[in-house]
Amino acid sequence: MVDNTLRNQIVRIRLTPQEKAQIATAAKTAGDLSLSAFMRNVALSIPVIEKQRQVVPQVNRQLYYQLGEIYRLLEAQPNRDLALVGSEVIEPLKQLLVQVRQDLLGFGDEL
């Protein structure tokens, strides 16, 4: 089953350094959004709501780090056991790890 909510498509645009700086400032002002989240919201006419920066619980930070370690283990080839599973299982698992890590820090669906 394909996850249609996975953001894996890239749109490239060219900006001057000044334009990029202006967008970065606007993204920060709009609630410390990433450039991608800010531009996606603006391009899709999603209201950019200024929000207070969330405090990330320490347990989330620790789990974020541990999931990053698991991701790095999945990346570290060759692993005989992982080779038996195949990339059709490993790649979706890596994508899920990335999404869960983002959710732990509060960068989930609202962006």
Side-chain angles (χ1 to χ4, degrees):
M1 175 182 277
V2 176
D3 182 4
N4 290 329
T5 62
L6 180 65
R7 292 188 175 114
N8 61 3
Q9 301 298 302
I10 298 173
V11 176
R12 296 173 195 248
I13 64 168
R14 296 192 185 279
L15 301 168
T16 66
Q18 295 80 12
E19 290 170 330
K20 184 176 179 185
Q22 285 178 302
I23 293 170
T25 299
K28 188 157 188 71
T29 301
D32 208 15
L33 297 175
S34 68
L35 288 178
S36 293
F38 179 77
M39 294 181 73
R40 184 171 44 251
N41 289 350
V42 171
L44 297 175
S45 298
I46 299 171
V48 177
I49 301 170
E50 291 190 29
K51 62 179 183 178
Q52 301 262 337
R53 180 132 177 110
Q54 294 178 338
V55 176
V56 178
Q58 184 62 28
V59 67
N60 286 26
R61 293 173 190 267
Q62 292 168 342
L63 187 53
Y64 178 88
Y65 174 78
Q66 292 168 344
L67 290 174
E69 291 300 309
I70 293 170
Y71 185 94
R72 281 185 274 289
L73 288 173
L74 291 174
E75 284 279 291
Q77 297 290 335
N79 182 317
R80 186 175 57 96
D81 295 333
L82 292 179
L84 294 174
V85 175
S87 64
E88 66 277 356
V89 173
I90 299 300
E91 289 306 314
L93 180 58
K94 287 174 17 184
Q95 293 170 354
L96 179 60
L97 282 170
V98 169
Q99 184 61 48
V100 170
R101 290 180 84 215
Q102 291 174 345
D103 290 346
L104 284 170
L105 295 184
F107 297 115
D109 292 334
E110 74 275 3
L111 297 183

